Amino acid sequence: MGEVNEGWPLARRQPELDAFSRALDDPDRTAVVLYGPAGVGKSRLADACLARAEAAGRLTARVMASQAAALLPLGALAPVLPHVLTPSASPSELFDQTRTEFLAMGGGGRLVLLVDDAHLLDTSSAVLLTQLLAARAVFVVATIRDGEPLPDAVAGWWRLEGALRLDIVDLDRDATADVLGLALGGVVGTDTVRRLHDASGGNPLLLRELVVQAVDAGLLRDDSGTWRLSGDIPPSRRLVDVLATRLAALGEPARRVVDQLAVCAPLGPAELTGDVPLDELESLERSGLIRVLVDGHRHQLVLGHPLYGEALRADLTVLRRRSILLAAADRIEALGARRREDARRVATWRLDAGGTPDPALLLQATRVARYAHDFKQVERLATVLWSLQPTAEAAVLLGEAAYEMGHFDASEAVLAAPVPEPSDEAVMVQRATLRTKNLQWGLCDWRAALAVIEDAQATLGSEHADDLVAEEGAVWMFAAQPQKAIDTMAAIAPHTARTRVLIALIRGQALASVGRTAEGIEAAIEGFREHSALAEPLALAHPGTHIVNQSFSLVEAGRFDEADEMARLGYDVAVADNIPVAQIWFALMLAKSCTQRGRINEARRWFQEGASTARLHGFNGPERIAQLGLASAEAVLGNVTAAAAAVARGDELPEFEFLRFDQPIGRAWTAWAQGDPEQARSLLATSAADAATLHNVGSAAWLWHDAARLGVRDVAAQLAPLAAASDSPVVAARAEHVRALEAGDPEALAAASVAFEALDMVLLAAEAAAAAADAHRRKGQQRLGTNQAHRATQLADRCPGARTPGLVPSDGSVPLSTREREIATLAGQGVSSQEIADRLFLSIRTVNNHLQNVYTKLGVNRRDQLAEALGLG
């Protein structure tokens, strides 16, 4: 478990600090007033301002106003008043003596005085400071709390000609993410940022309290490099204390309202039990204890802060809580329970009260929760329903919820259990397709999933046969056989919207995988449209799956900006709706896009996010993909130990066929980073051939291209048919790059660099430019070589941290050959000649001869100079 760094960070306050610095340097400015609500960080910002003043060589001092000090005239300013002050001095004498003292303290400039909580100044201190400001004898930095009564003198400070008022507001979500990252000293999961931001309202003080309490309680911890929050956020002690004070002043009707909302919110005014006068509700709203949400003509009441409920519930006795729940359930039923969600609310309240709802009500409530994708509640309600009535529909509801929550063994147990006969055939088909999904995606066993489909096809009638065929296609897509998936589903003439959606969930990605990216994009768009309109979504993947598929297809098509925009939007929705599996896939799509664009640090961040989310929720297969993707990013960044650790973690997880051909890339680049290029080349070439055999066109092109980048020869012949079979400019650019590399054609390499840059594949553009530079120099075209080398450097600068063989500079007039570059890189990493010979299947003499050539070309004479000469430092 990690710890919170000491000293809560000040983030996203640079504009305010810069404004202070400008005011301090302006002879016409006399004060900076930091104005805002409690806990917003005014004092922390004021301290930073004072530190800036001290760094600028200004003499500083500070005073803190308080209610206690305000009882005495000049009580707040006592620490900085002249020691020789005459006790009986008149106001004018007091002003003269203090001004003289402050000017002397300031030396050549004005004293910078911090006045914290200036709204608490006594009248004498406020008046004196106002006079000193008017005389420009002091520069004041003051903090004032919003909504507090002010002394008249202080109230006029920001209206002074030389005063600058800065309104300090709560942090937005991006600023909250920055603060959390600095405070925790690491990457913080996006969903964790959102939850803590929403709970704190962006208030820095409250945010800090929540973080400290969550860390102390073990709820916020570092999970493999990413901080994640699990469980409910504990109420802030400060908030509990403040709330206790406010509740003590409430009358009985008002207390009944907040207690009901703590247990049952949201509630409409008519749904409150007991006699609650309207003026009580208005008073509670004015005080901020409750809020009114308006949705069309509907008004709903909620507590004023997300954490009020936790604090209030902790103060309720068991019997009081039970009484509120049962009364609320009775009230909704007495009003007719007309709204769709009413069944869900009533069933949940009766369960919370220790009762057992009627099975029909429970089934209706479970369906409503499922339509809302609230699988945590579905799992709870369906568990009770299954115990009362173990029907096929109850099995589907419970099995799906368990799957979505990452409880795959539990899902398999309920979906494989016998159900009463006869059962509705449509539900039995749903049960079979859902069990198939759980077996492949959750338990990582696609062969068992295929067996379930085959059994269902043999035992169920023909009315819903198309759904089973569509699910069979899904299994083939999972098994990295996209063309077989397309061929399987081509036999269906779908007659229902549900069947069309089942096909669309797979078809878009399958088409893109075989190189038909434009069709894949359109299939995903149409699938999402039809899925969103579907009346019965039970046992189907979330509609957001089509957005994942569209992102995948866009990446395959080289439309990276669109892919990123789509995936980021989907990720935000998945976080807001608490759909972990969608979070994982959107994170992986973003990571894949960033990798192809050469944004390796950003790719690493998204792979970490995906791996952490998958691990937190038990999705072993997706975590395997994320870990091996992370390995590729770490390897390219030169983090060999981290890359090896990611591969080791991936190896601990079960085999996962989906995106099977993305996985060798991480292993290969890790092998290369560890100084074993032969293993890297073998992994890539073997996997590329397999991918091509199974019609994974985009993956095969990526693998062959990486193989060529790491020194495999005669790859152009492998890439040419892939480019011919695909409409993707990415595949075409890879094929042209390799053709130019093998031909040693400088103009073609320069053109490949331009093509990659146009696609925003900047790292590959840099490598192609570097290769063009070498090719020009081999032909004695030094000026052209220098131009391309300069271009390569500029492009590589846009990929900070990336280290690949293609980026190794060759600034001499005679460039290094591929073999020389490889041997020099290993030697520069400290690998001995014998080890190099063993790894590359060469003789030691050959290795040393190559090294002598390298020394001559690079103008060095020792191994320890190679790393710097090759840019490996």
Side-chain angles (χ1 to χ4, degrees):
M1 182 187 303
E3 296 180 351
V4 181
N5 292 335
E6 290 188 13
W8 195 248
L10 183 70
R12 294 294 183 99
R13 300 301 193 199
Q14 194 62 41
E16 290 86 354
L17 286 170
D18 290 344
F20 165 79
S21 294
R22 289 192 296 271
L24 187 65
D25 293 337
D26 186 344
D28 294 329
R29 289 291 187 188
T30 57
V32 172
V33 180
L34 307 178
Y35 189 88
V40 78
K42 301 183 299 297
S43 297
R44 178 75 179 83
L45 179 57
D47 287 339
C49 289
L50 213 60
R52 279 209 171 186
E54 290 171 354
R58 305 290 287 272
L59 186 67
T60 65
R62 73 179 65 216
V63 296
M64 179 176 290
S66 65
Q67 292 177 337
L71 297 175
L72 298 173
L74 301 175
L77 293 182
V80 295
L81 289 177
H83 297 300
V84 295
L85 187 65
T86 306
S88 58
S90 66
S92 60
E93 292 171 329
L94 172 63
F95 167 73
D96 289 337
Q97 293 180 32
T98 305
R99 180 181 59 179
T100 300
E101 179 78 6
F102 279 10
L103 290 174
M105 292 171 64
R110 289 172 292 174
L111 172 71
V112 179
L113 178 65
L114 191 163
V115 183
D116 207 4
D117 288 339
H119 51 279
L120 297 178
L121 283 172
D122 62 276
T123 302
S124 299
S125 294
V127 170
L128 178 57
L129 275 175
T130 302
Q131 293 173 331
L132 292 168
L133 285 170
R136 301 185 185 278
V138 66
F139 187 99
V140 169
V141 181
T143 68
I144 297 178
R145 184 181 301 170
D146 186 12
E148 296 288 342
L150 303 175
D152 290 341
V154 174
W157 280 1
W158 54 74
R159 289 190 291 271
L160 294 174
E161 185 177 348
L164 172 66
R165 170 172 166 166
L166 298 176
D167 289 286
I168 313 303
V169 298
D170 288 323
L171 305 172
D172 62 19
R173 193 180 301 162
D174 288 342
T176 298
D178 288 348
V179 169
L180 289 173
L182 292 169
L184 296 171
V187 176
V188 184
T190 306
D191 50 355
T192 295
V193 170
R194 184 187 183 100
R195 291 182 63 192
L196 287 168
H197 176 77
D198 290 348
S200 66
N203 184 278
L205 178 60
L206 187 52
L207 178 66
R208 182 182 189 282
E209 291 183 6
L210 294 176
V211 167
V212 170
Q213 287 172 217
V215 169
D216 289 345
L219 299 173
L220 180 59
R221 52 185 180 269
D222 185 354
D223 176 29
S224 302
T226 302
W227 285 84
R228 306 306 291 256
L229 182 66
S230 60
D232 295 330
I233 301 174
S236 155
R237 298 183 186 97
R238 172 178 169 272
L239 193 60
V240 170
D241 292 341
V242 170
L243 190 57
T245 301
R246 300 176 72 179
L247 291 175
L250 293 181
E252 180 57 28
R255 181 59 193 255
R256 284 201 307 270
V257 171
V258 295
D259 283 350
Q260 287 182 65
L261 294 179
V263 177
C264 303
L267 290 171
E271 294 171 343
L272 293 168
T273 60
D275 184 17
V276 183
L278 181 59
D279 60 350
E280 288 284 1
L281 297 179
E282 293 173 350
S283 176
L284 286 169
E285 185 183 11
R286 284 194 301 272
S287 70
L289 282 171
I290 70 170
R291 291 186 295 127
V292 180
L293 305 179
V294 180
D295 181 11
H297 297 294
R298 188 178 183 185
H299 291 65
Q300 290 189 303
L301 308 178
V302 296
L303 292 170
H305 193 282
L307 295 179
Y308 283 179
E310 291 288 339
L312 286 163
R313 286 190 292 273
D315 195 43
L316 291 174
T317 64
V318 174
L319 292 178
R320 172 64 177 149
R321 182 184 175 105
R322 181 175 182 274
S323 174
I324 291 172
L325 289 164
L326 293 176
D330 290 343
R331 178 66 173 169
I332 296 299
E333 291 180 329
L335 291 172
R338 299 181 304 274
R339 297 186 177 94
R340 188 175 74 170
E341 67 268 23
D342 285 348
R344 177 184 179 186
R345 298 160 76 198
V346 170
T348 303
W349 293 339
R350 293 204 182 281
L351 278 178
D352 288 345
T356 302
D358 175 75
L361 173 67
L362 198 55
L363 176 59
Q364 185 181 357
T366 309
R367 287 171 174 166
V368 172
R370 195 271 169 238
Y371 295 145
H373 299 284
D374 186 351
F375 289 108
K376 184 175 182 179
Q377 189 172 49
V378 173
E379 187 175 39
R380 183 190 179 202
L381 296 171
T383 298
V384 179
L385 178 63
W386 174 253
S387 69
L388 297 173
Q389 291 185 348
T391 63
E393 184 173 6
V396 170
L397 286 164
L398 180 54
E400 183 181 36
Y403 164 77
E404 293 287 347
M405 298 299 294
H407 306 152
F408 307 121
D409 289 328
S411 179
E412 170 64 8
V414 70
L415 291 171
V419 295
E421 296 292 347
S423 293
D424 181 89
E425 185 172 289
V427 177
M428 293 300 290
V429 170
Q430 291 174 2
R431 177 170 170 261
T433 57
L434 180 58
R435 187 180 175 199
T436 300
K437 181 168 69 172
N438 182 65
L439 281 166
Q440 57 188 352
W441 295 103
L443 297 176
C444 307
D445 190 346
W446 69 270
R447 291 179 177 82
L450 189 60
V452 168
I453 289 298
E454 291 171 346
D455 181 65
Q457 288 172 328
T459 57
L460 296 175
S462 60
E463 183 180 353
H464 301 281
D466 285 350
D467 287 8
L468 294 174
V469 175
E471 193 60 35
E472 181 186 349
V475 175
W476 291 122
M477 182 62 215
F478 176 89
Q481 300 186 48
Q483 188 59 54
K484 192 164 186 176
I486 293 170
D487 294 342
T488 298
M489 292 184 292
I492 305 172
H495 301 294
T496 69
R498 181 181 180 86
T499 304
R500 289 194 295 272
V501 168
L502 277 169
I503 294 172
L505 284 166
I506 300 303
R507 183 170 170 78
Q509 191 172 62
L511 287 167
S513 295
V514 300
R516 295 157 62 182
T517 61
E519 293 177 75
I521 293 167
E522 290 305 314
I525 293 172
E526 176 61 21
F528 180 76
R529 185 197 64 76
E530 192 154 21
H531 196 154
S532 299
L534 202 63
E536 176 52 76
L538 187 60
L540 287 174
H542 190 278
T545 305
H546 302 282
I547 307 300
V548 175
N549 292 343
Q550 188 177 348
S551 299
F552 175 88
S553 300
L554 288 166
V555 169
E556 292 296 307
R559 292 161 59 177
F560 299 112
D561 284 339
E562 296 171 73
D564 287 1
E565 182 181 2
M566 188 73 61
R568 288 179 188 277
L569 175 63
Y571 188 87
D572 288 344
V573 172
V575 169
D577 291 349
N578 191 28
I579 309 171
V581 67
Q583 286 180 239
I584 297 165
W585 292 118
F586 282 121
L588 290 177
M589 289 305 103
L590 285 162
K592 186 169 185 173
S593 174
C594 290
T595 300
Q596 298 228 43
R597 301 173 89 168
R599 301 177 180 180
I600 308 302
N601 283 296
E602 194 175 348
R604 174 174 60 179
R605 167 72 179 83
W606 283 112
F607 278 128
Q608 287 176 326
E609 182 91 4
S612 177
T613 305
R615 188 170 191 168
L616 183 66
H617 296 281
F619 287 88
N620 289 334
E623 187 193 348
R624 181 186 176 94
I625 296 172
Q627 291 289 356
L628 293 172
L630 177 60
S632 69
E634 297 287 14
V636 171
L637 291 169
N639 303 326
V640 183
T641 301
V647 170
R649 172 58 187 166
D651 286 342
E652 294 172 1
L653 300 165
E655 293 286 340
F656 197 64
E657 289 296 301
F658 187 68
L659 294 183
R660 164 184 162 190
F661 296 111
D662 281 15
Q663 299 173 41
I665 294 172
R667 296 184 185 281
W669 281 97
T670 299
W672 170 79
Q674 291 174 320
D676 194 345
E678 287 298 330
Q679 183 187 7
R681 287 192 281 262
S682 175
L683 276 168
L684 291 167
T686 301
S687 300
D690 290 345
T693 299
L694 293 177
H695 304 284
N696 291 267
V697 172
S699 295
W702 190 343
L703 288 160
W704 278 125
H705 187 236
D706 274 12
R709 293 168 67 199
L710 293 184
V712 176
R713 297 173 182 173
D714 302 323
V715 171
Q718 305 294 336
L719 276 168
L722 296 175
S726 174
D727 62 6
S728 170
V730 173
V731 177
R734 292 186 191 280
E736 283 303 304
H737 181 212
V738 173
R739 186 195 64 77
L741 275 174
E742 293 183 356
D745 184 340
E747 287 79 13
L749 284 166
S753 177
V754 171
F756 279 133
E757 187 181 15
L759 289 167
D760 201 28
M761 301 176 75
V762 181
L763 178 58
L764 298 181
E767 290 187 14
D774 282 354
H776 277 303
R777 285 167 176 159
R778 287 191 183 96
K779 292 189 173 186
Q781 300 166 338
Q782 295 302 320
R783 182 180 60 80
L784 293 174
T786 300
N787 289 342
Q788 285 297 322
H790 180 64
R791 171 179 165 78
T793 299
Q794 289 182 319
L795 290 165
D797 287 344
R798 292 161 58 186
C799 308
R803 296 165 55 177
T804 68
L807 291 181
V808 174
S810 182
D811 294 330
S813 59
V814 183
L816 303 180
S817 69
T818 301
R819 180 62 86 184
E820 288 168 349
R821 190 187 303 267
E822 186 172 79
I823 291 173
T825 299
L826 290 171
Q829 292 172 343
V831 182
S832 70
S833 293
Q834 181 65 62
E835 289 177 293
I836 295 173
D838 291 342
R839 293 182 188 183
L840 302 182
F841 303 103
L842 301 172
S843 69
I844 296 179
R845 181 178 179 180
T846 299
V847 170
N848 288 332
N849 286 340
H850 278 306
L851 281 174
Q852 287 302 318
N853 290 337
V854 169
Y855 293 158
T856 300
K857 290 180 179 182
L858 296 182
V860 300
N861 52 31
R862 298 196 314 272
R863 281 174 178 259
D864 59 3
Q865 297 172 325
L866 284 173
E868 181 177 356
L870 295 170
L872 300 175

